Amino acid sequence: SQQGEEDPQALSIQEGENATMNCSYKTSINNLQWYRQNSGRGLVHLILIRSNEREKHSGRLRVTLDTSKKSSSLLITASRAADTASYFCATGSGGGADGLTFGKGTHLIIQP
Amino acid sequence: EPEVTQTPSHQVTQMGQEVILRCVPISNHLYFYWYRQILGQKVEFLVSFYNNEISEKSEIFDDQFSVERPDGSNFTLKIRSTKLEDSAMYFCASSALLGGNQPQHFGDGTRLSIL
């Protein structure tokens, strides 16, 4: 089965710095998505990148996808305290009503 | 912005009892999903639902579980004969088009505690 695994498991940086999180997966995918989860809340969709795309931007977010290496990265620029959360990558096969496969996540802490 | 809403936010149930978790997906969405997250573990896919039937289910979704869309707005997950290991956060999600190429919108979850 497809599986996203993020690294690092935890990341602590100063406000204003950039944060980079990585995700690896094992099988072919149709798309890869990144989600954020604040403590005790649901998952919030951040960005989706399709398998035929290499890079995508949304505001302060930049996502790259390397299908040859089966990996993706999420860059958050100019981090803010409100970015403190857990970040998950999720892969979809694109078949039917696609159930996503999530990784364990990266817990990001932004120090003020 | 439209939201997926889940009730209750916290459910405490005795082992062996049945529990129904409720979800109201975003109104114009067509695909519905349930996921669970055991404390400290990954979010795991349980089941997807489209056109009034199950589209895909994981190995976790065995005969103990069932889903239903009883009316035009609610989507429910029923867990029969609950076990201690069913304790988890259960998330409902919905998407507008084919889930694999569209974002899934999640509710805030129901925390299920089995005693």
Side-chain angles (χ1 to χ4, degrees):
Chain A
S1 61
Q2 304 157 11
Q3 190 169 27
E5 297 290 346
E6 297 89 341
D7 78 88
Q9 290 187 353
L11 179 62
S12 180
I13 60 174
Q14 294 293 318
E15 194 167 21
E17 294 180 340
N18 297 340
T20 299
M21 289 159 272
N22 303 295
C23 168
S24 62
Y25 57 92
K26 294 182 179 177
T27 60
S28 61
I29 61 170
N30 178 275
N31 66 79
L32 187 143
Q33 306 182 36
W34 284 91
Y35 286 81
R36 184 186 74 226
Q37 184 180 35
N38 290 87
S39 180
R41 302 298 300 274
L43 296 123
V44 175
H45 181 264
L46 296 176
I47 197 164
L48 180 152
I49 186 166
R50 291 180 169 76
S51 58
N52 61 352
E53 297 176 309
R54 291 296 167 258
E55 187 171 313
K56 201 161 183 180
H57 297 255
S58 176
R60 294 185 295 114
L61 306 180
R62 172 177 170 258
V63 168
T64 62
L65 179 64
D66 186 334
T67 53
S68 66
K69 295 181 179 178
K70 291 185 168 56
S71 67
S72 173
S73 67
L74 171 67
L75 168 68
I76 304 174
T77 60
S79 62
R80 305 167 182 169
D83 295 329
T84 294
S86 291
Y87 291 82
F88 298 88
C89 68
T91 55
S93 65
D98 195 22
L100 297 174
T101 301
F102 284 84
K104 289 184 179 179
T106 292
H107 185 53
L108 176 65
I109 297 172
I110 308 299
Q111 307 275 6
Chain B
E1 185 174 328
E3 292 182 337
V4 175
T5 57
Q6 291 185 243
T7 55
S9 57
H10 192 189
Q11 174 79 45
V12 181
T13 301
Q14 291 290 326
M15 187 172 58
Q17 296 296 307
E18 175 182 287
V19 64
I20 296 176
L21 309 182
R22 304 181 189 279
C23 170
V24 178
I26 295 173
S27 62
N28 63 345
H29 283 188
L30 301 176
Y31 296 84
F32 315 116
Y33 313 83
W34 283 102
Y35 293 82
R36 79 173 184 190
Q37 185 179 31
I38 295 171
L39 186 64
Q41 298 187 23
K42 297 181 183 183
V43 175
E44 300 173 290
F45 169 70
L46 294 178
V47 66
S48 60
F49 193 86
Y50 169 71
N51 199 26
N52 286 319
E53 60 183 22
I54 290 173
S55 291
E56 184 181 348
K57 59 183 181 178
S58 70
E59 292 176 352
I60 302 168
F61 194 88
D62 59 20
D63 292 343
Q64 186 191 3
F65 296 87
S66 62
V67 290
E68 189 179 29
R69 187 155 165 80
D71 53 44
S73 60
N74 290 284
F75 180 51
T76 63
L77 174 69
K78 181 188 290 186
I79 309 174
R80 289 177 283 272
S81 301
T82 51
K83 299 173 279 192
L84 294 176
E85 53 264 40
D86 294 327
S87 295
M89 284 289 290
Y90 287 82
F91 293 104
C92 173
S94 67
S95 67
L97 297 174
L98 280 174
N101 287 311
Q102 292 292 329
Q104 294 181 18
H105 298 263
F106 284 76
D108 279 342
T110 292
R111 180 174 300 281
L112 178 62
S113 299
I114 306 299
L115 304 179

